Amino acid sequence: MTLIAQPAEQTIPLAPLILVMLSLSGAAVALVAMGVLGARRRIGPNELFGIRTRYTRSSDAAWYAVHEACARWSVLAGLAFLPAVVLTPLVSDPDAQTVAILGPVSAGMLLLITGLRRGHRLARERLAREEGRADLP
């Protein structure tokens, strides 16, 4: 009897794999759509889709400014998810499948978080300049 668990030598079963691929594809499409629509000011303030923070909910100007500033980052984050969709079904090793999913998703989330922080800062600075304020909120 061994105390160390042996790794499973099976890949992700087909049904869960399909669900993971559909979820990652949907997330990628949603992020790219948010970036494209946000850059074009096509996402109005709402409770379902977009960047909903205390600051973006504070005014329509803040909402649009943040979405414009974060657009490129959102598109990049969505595109970062795509290698997981393509690579995971092609890999036969279970550990490699895990890496094929977690690597791109982690990179996408890092891009998204970085973009949100930078976008909020840029939007606040821009709105403060437009309002003629010396202080930055």
Side-chain angles (χ1 to χ4, degrees):
M1 183 168 122
T2 63
L3 297 177
I4 300 173
Q6 297 298 317
E9 291 299 326
Q10 297 178 352
T11 59
I12 299 172
L14 184 59
L17 181 64
I18 290 171
L19 288 175
V20 168
M21 298 302 99
L22 288 174
S23 298
L24 290 173
S25 298
V29 168
L31 287 168
V32 170
M34 185 173 70
V36 170
L37 295 173
R40 296 179 179 173
R41 300 176 65 96
R42 301 291 230 159
I43 303 173
N46 67 81
E47 294 297 319
L48 182 64
F49 186 69
I51 302 166
R52 293 175 315 279
T53 62
R54 190 176 317 145
Y55 179 66
T56 58
R57 290 178 172 195
S58 67
S59 72
D60 285 356
W63 175 274
Y64 289 111
V66 169
H67 280 80
E68 284 182 81
C70 294
R72 180 177 295 129
W73 292 93
S74 179
V75 170
L76 289 174
L79 293 177
F81 277 47
L82 293 180
V85 175
V86 174
L87 295 176
T88 304
L90 301 176
V91 177
S92 60
D93 179 53
D95 293 333
Q97 278 187 323
T98 302
V99 170
I101 292 170
L102 294 179
V105 170
S106 298
M109 293 306 295
L110 183 62
L111 285 166
L112 189 61
I113 291 168
T114 301
L116 288 173
R117 291 183 55 94
R118 291 179 58 121
H120 268 80
R121 191 187 78 239
L122 291 171
R124 287 176 188 241
E125 290 172 358
R126 190 179 95 199
L127 290 176
R129 270 194 317 273
E130 288 174 3
E131 293 174 2
R133 295 190 339 228
D135 64 324
L136 296 176

